[in-house]
Amino acid sequence: GIQVEQSPPDLILQEGANSTLRCNFSDSVNNLQWFHQNPWGQLINLFYIPSGTKQNGRLSATTVATERYSLLYISSSQTTDSGVYFCAVGSSNTGKLIFGQGTTLQVKP
Amino acid sequence: NAGVTQTPKFRILKIGQSMTLQCAQDMNHNYMYWYRQDPGMGLKLIYYSVGAGITDKGEVPNGYNVSRSTTEDFPLRLELAAPSQTSVYFCASSYEDRGMFFGSGTQLSVL
């Protein structure tokens, strides 16, 4: 099955810094989503982005499907950005979405 | 809208017991999913459904069963609980396979 690899596994930032999280996948995909899991365990969908670029406030994401990777950019990070960021991909129209292992982000005040 | 509602939030089972985790959504989503998350790990897909009456196995289906008799409900059944099933279980739904919404999770311990 499709493999999903996220990097870096851990990231520590000072408040106000920018960061880039990466998601590599082993096969062509027609579905890619980014999620944030806050320290209380709640999972929030950030982007549905099988290709192209999207922006939502301080967050933006780019997927280059032909090169099998996606990037999540966080600008001017805040302590509330802390948590785990997951990438999930699907390679067919079956609805099956596979998650990466996540990047744990800690933003220090 | 309540979104995706999971019950119970916490449960402790003895080895060999059975239980059903409930999941309901009120967004008229056709796709529904069950994932488990072990401590410090990512989410593993247990089962998913693309519509009422249709279910399919994910990455880790052994020891679980599901049914999808209505669009709104997608219960997960654990038969003969084992310590390896100690985990946090998340239900999710989406319209087609876009924009997945998650429930708040069920923390299950099997002792």
Side-chain angles (χ1 to χ4, degrees):
Chain A
I2 192 166
Q3 305 296 314
V4 185
E5 193 174 302
Q6 292 186 241
S7 60
D10 301 283
L11 188 57
I12 300 175
L13 298 175
Q14 285 298 130
E15 202 168 23
N18 303 329
S19 62
T20 301
L21 283 58
R22 187 176 180 102
C23 173
N24 291 334
F25 39 94
S26 61
D27 205 347
S28 58
V29 300
N30 59 7
N31 189 344
L32 190 144
Q33 300 183 37
W34 283 96
F35 297 87
H36 175 225
Q37 186 170 38
N38 66 23
W40 297 271
Q42 186 181 14
L43 283 150
I44 302 296
N45 188 290
L46 298 175
F47 295 102
Y48 166 77
I49 186 166
S51 64
T53 298
K54 288 186 178 179
Q55 181 156 7
N56 185 1
R58 296 181 296 103
L59 273 60
S60 64
T62 295
T63 297
V64 185
T66 53
E67 297 188 22
R68 300 182 184 172
Y69 73 89
S70 183
L71 302 174
L72 178 69
Y73 305 96
I74 304 174
S75 64
S76 304
S77 58
Q78 300 176 358
T79 56
T80 52
D81 295 331
S82 296
V84 184
Y85 289 81
F86 290 106
C87 162
V89 303
S91 59
S92 64
N93 290 322
T94 63
K96 189 174 182 178
L97 270 182
I98 303 301
F99 277 69
Q101 292 291 83
T103 291
T104 300
L105 174 65
Q106 183 182 359
V107 181
K108 294 187 172 183
Chain B
N1 287 351
V4 180
T5 302
Q6 288 184 240
T7 56
K9 293 192 184 303
F10 304 93
R11 184 72 185 268
I12 298 174
L13 284 181
K14 294 182 179 179
I15 294 172
Q17 287 185 321
S18 300
M19 77 163 294
T20 299
L21 280 64
Q22 302 291 344
C23 177
Q25 53 90 11
D26 62 359
M27 297 174 282
N28 202 31
H29 285 167
N30 52 346
Y31 285 30
M32 294 188 76
Y33 310 80
W34 275 106
Y35 286 89
R36 60 175 285 174
Q37 185 177 31
D38 297 332
M41 304 293 285
L43 283 79
K44 294 291 187 185
L45 181 62
I46 305 172
Y47 272 95
Y48 64 104
S49 168
V50 299
I54 306 169
T55 62
D56 208 346
K57 295 179 180 179
E59 302 168 272
V60 290
N62 292 344
Y64 306 94
N65 278 299
V66 293
S67 60
R68 184 96 183 271
S69 56
T70 67
T71 299
E72 294 78 19
D73 300 298
F74 191 40
L76 178 71
R77 178 81 178 163
L78 279 71
E79 304 281 1
L80 299 174
S84 61
Q85 293 178 305
T86 293
S87 191
V88 179
Y89 292 83
F90 288 99
C91 178
S93 73
S94 65
Y95 175 69
E96 300 296 313
D97 58 354
R98 305 181 174 209
M100 188 184 285
F101 289 81
F102 278 87
S104 56
T106 295
Q107 192 166 322
L108 176 67
S109 295
V110 182
L111 306 175

